[in-house]
Amino acid sequence: MAFIDGVKEKAKLDKKTIVLPESNDKRTLLAAAHILQEGIANIIMVGNREKIMDGATWLEIELDGIEIVDPSETPKLDIYVENLYEIRKAKGMTLEKAREILLNDWLTFGIMMVKMNDADGMVAGACHSTADTLRPALQILKTAPGCKLVSAFFVVDTIMKDMGENGTFLFADCGLNQDPTAEELAAIADSSSRSFKQLIGPRPQIAMLSHSTKGSAKHPLVDKMVEATNICREQYPHLCVDGELQTDAALIPHVAKSKAPGSPVAGHANVLIFPNLDAGNIGYKLVQRLGMAEAYGPMLQGIAKPINDLSRGCSWEDIVGVVALTAVQAQLV
């Protein structure tokens, strides 16, 4: 069974309601039809019913059973407006501005649905930037209790079943924090450990990646990963973490024996923490495009409720996968 098939089965056991606000995108419509057909989640689409159904007809798909909420017609608009105003009034929000935002920014409307418990999670980003998705999520939902930093990760399912967790890895941060400090990298490692346990398997083994292994090179970037590893051990002693490690030392047992003998992680890593966003984003796309891997995300970790992003280059199949992952996350909130 492929990794994502197992996630779908988990999602079906306790079906959650996920908002898809990008109803003008054909990939979203295709994904919604397949999600309904497979029974992965209940779906709410934000938008104009006639346009959505016209799109379904053009694509020759069935959207029977889908809930469509038009912000201009829902009787809950006034409640959402009042709550958005209360949440943001200290930042200059007015009732008039809140109404304008909710009528025109469907991502914010979807997040308000999650805030008001009318939905369990939201997936967007097929035609919006990560900032467009993240900004209102942080403003309205805030960070999860005890979380120091919101970060982004990808679940990467490879054909290399003798590596990672039956070929599946968590890569972080690949979508949000551009140049995290050592302290922030340690927080990302802690959040990634929890996400791994939620979605992939019980034993996260975390590698703090570098172009150096155990002092083989000298550079401030190497120092940052060494410091991040030390902070992890001090502040998050429950983590199984090691660094700094080159990627081959992190993944390949015989390389690990040569470069990092005695390491509790080297040769067996399944959570890869990258030194900066350049490395993480380049790394996951190389594995996805050249290594024939499935990559789901960028998933967001550290927000109070499940709000997840998509790559603008995603397929409808990717959206289905992220919705399934979001539904599983929602089961654990």
Side-chain angles (χ1 to χ4, degrees):
M1 178 184 291
F3 163 76
I4 201 62
D5 293 332
V7 172
K8 290 177 181 179
E9 291 304 313
K10 289 180 185 177
K12 293 175 187 178
L13 293 175
D14 180 14
K15 194 180 291 187
K16 297 299 181 182
T17 299
I18 307 299
V19 182
L20 298 178
E22 295 172 313
S23 59
N24 292 328
D25 189 287
K26 71 177 184 179
R27 294 167 296 175
T28 302
L29 295 176
L30 288 165
H34 282 83
I35 292 162
L36 293 174
Q37 184 179 10
E38 294 186 54
I40 297 167
N42 300 314
I43 294 296
I44 298 174
M45 299 198 81
V46 181
N48 178 274
R49 173 173 290 275
E50 184 177 352
K51 289 183 178 179
I52 290 171
M53 289 307 178
D54 283 348
T57 300
W58 181 71
L59 291 167
E60 299 181 343
I61 57 174
E62 294 289 338
L63 290 179
D64 295 340
I66 200 165
E67 181 179 354
I68 297 173
V69 176
D70 188 331
S72 66
E73 296 181 359
T74 178
K76 293 189 175 182
L77 179 62
D78 288 342
I79 297 172
Y80 289 178
V81 167
E82 180 66 31
N83 276 271
L84 180 57
Y85 163 70
E86 289 294 333
I87 292 167
R88 299 291 295 163
K89 64 183 180 181
K91 299 294 185 180
M93 182 67 70
T94 64
L95 287 169
E96 293 77 12
K97 183 64 175 177
R99 184 175 298 274
E100 178 186 352
I101 290 170
L102 290 169
L103 285 172
N104 294 286
D105 181 355
W106 292 351
L107 270 69
T108 299
F109 186 92
I111 289 167
M112 281 303 301
M113 295 192 77
V114 177
K115 174 69 174 179
M116 301 302 295
N117 296 317
D118 292 323
D120 300 303
M122 188 184 86
V123 173
C127 48
H128 289 84
S129 69
T130 295
D132 289 334
T133 304
L134 182 61
R135 188 184 308 108
L138 286 174
Q139 291 173 345
I140 295 167
L141 296 173
K142 315 297 184 183
T143 56
C147 179
K148 295 181 179 180
L149 181 74
V150 175
S151 55
F153 67 91
F154 275 82
V155 175
V156 181
D157 187 24
T158 76
I159 61 174
M160 308 302 291
K161 300 306 178 185
D162 59 336
M163 296 183 182
E165 184 75 14
N166 193 33
T168 303
F169 296 83
L170 189 150
F171 287 17
D173 184 329
C174 303
L176 186 57
N177 294 284
Q178 289 189 319
D179 189 15
T181 64
E183 185 91 19
E184 289 169 337
L185 285 166
I188 291 168
D190 183 49
S191 294
S192 297
S193 174
R194 291 195 295 269
S195 294
F196 185 93
K197 289 178 181 178
Q198 286 181 336
L199 300 172
I200 301 173
R203 296 186 65 249
Q205 295 177 284
I206 305 166
M208 309 300 278
L209 295 183
S210 175
H211 67 277
S212 169
T213 296
K214 300 297 182 180
S216 64
K218 304 295 182 184
H219 191 274
L221 280 174
V222 176
D223 296 339
K224 182 171 78 165
M225 301 311 286
V226 172
E227 183 182 356
T229 303
N230 291 334
I231 293 170
C232 281
R233 290 170 176 160
E234 293 168 5
Q235 297 187 10
Y236 312 105
H238 58 284
L239 297 181
C240 180
V241 60
D242 200 13
E244 86 286 15
L245 294 172
Q246 291 166 290
T247 304
D248 57 353
L251 300 178
I252 311 299
H254 77 266
V255 177
K257 288 180 181 179
S258 172
K259 291 187 174 183
S263 169
V265 170
H268 308 285
N270 50 31
V271 177
L272 306 182
I273 305 299
F274 293 85
N276 55 40
L277 188 57
D278 278 344
N281 194 269
I282 291 166
Y284 100 78
K285 287 182 176 175
L286 282 171
V287 175
Q288 178 188 31
R289 300 299 182 179
L290 299 183
M292 297 181 291
E294 298 293 333
Y296 301 98
M299 309 280 293
L300 299 176
Q301 54 190 4
I303 299 177
K305 293 187 177 183
I307 305 293
N308 283 315
D309 195 15
L310 296 160
S311 168
R312 278 173 283 181
C314 69
S315 65
W316 68 260
E317 293 95 340
D318 295 331
I319 299 174
V320 173
V322 173
V323 167
L325 288 160
T326 305
V328 172
Q329 285 181 316
Q331 293 172 351
L332 302 168
V333 172

